[in-house]
Amino acid sequence: MIFSALKLIHVLAVILWVGGMAFAHFFLRPSVQALEPPVRLRLLQAVMKRFFSVVLWASLVVLATGLWMIGRTAKETVQAGLAFNMPLDWTIMATLGIVMILIFGHIRFALFKRLTRAVAASDWPAAGAAMASIRSWVFVNLCIGVVIVCVTLLMG
């Protein structure tokens, strides 16, 4: 029962993270392009501040629940007298998930800081450059997240 509950929490956190990136990239960003840079960049900075706070927690939940589920399965397998060989789809999921967390860390703690400083200083060219970098890395993470979902569902 606890395994199923943690798997549910894990999947819900992934949906929140990957779905939020898809929404921001494909719907929010194009919709605000008509706004003047000061208004657009202030709005995007405020939205991302909230979203990145939630993603920070979601990424930690995904990491903790994923590690717990792998560890639990490994422990039960070894206790049954068998060798634990992590399935390839789990290995891909875990590896790419860690890459996503590292990319998110760069987005949140480097690029978003640049955006926040530039918006606070009303430096719209710098804010635009930071936003462009954030958008690029969010797209990379979105693609990785989709690959993880596909690999997990097709190989699992």
Side-chain angles (χ1 to χ4, degrees):
M1 178 66 180
I2 189 142
F3 190 92
S4 295
L6 288 176
K7 189 173 183 179
L8 174 64
I9 292 167
H10 185 84
V11 170
L12 290 174
V14 168
I15 289 169
L16 176 72
W17 187 2
V18 175
M21 289 188 296
F23 171 78
H25 191 77
F26 293 113
F27 303 99
L28 177 63
R29 187 186 63 81
S31 297
V32 300
Q33 289 304 309
L35 300 174
E36 292 298 317
V39 175
R40 179 177 66 243
L41 292 165
R42 280 188 186 109
L43 173 66
L44 290 173
Q45 190 272 339
V47 169
M48 282 186 220
K49 181 178 180 181
R50 289 174 180 254
F51 179 62
F52 290 162
S53 294
V54 171
V55 171
L56 181 59
W57 284 104
S59 65
L60 295 174
V61 165
V62 168
L63 182 62
T65 56
L67 289 173
W68 188 91
M69 289 186 291
I70 291 169
R72 175 72 182 237
T73 302
K75 180 181 175 184
E76 288 175 356
T77 302
V78 170
Q79 285 177 340
L82 305 169
F84 176 70
N85 295 311
M86 195 154 93
L88 179 60
D89 59 323
W90 289 17
T91 303
I92 293 169
M93 178 175 33
T95 302
L96 292 179
I98 290 168
V99 169
M100 283 184 71
I101 290 169
L102 293 172
I103 290 171
F104 170 69
H106 174 63
I107 293 168
R108 172 61 187 90
F109 297 109
L111 300 177
F112 183 68
K113 241 183 204 177
R114 284 185 212 154
L115 174 64
T116 299
R117 281 194 303 262
V119 167
S122 298
D123 183 352
W124 306 122
M131 190 66 239
S133 293
I134 290 170
R135 183 180 71 245
S136 296
W137 282 110
V138 165
F139 184 71
V140 168
N141 247 7
L142 175 59
C143 291
I144 294 170
V146 170
V147 166
I148 291 170
V149 170
C150 292
V151 164
T152 303
L153 292 176
L154 294 175
M155 291 180 69

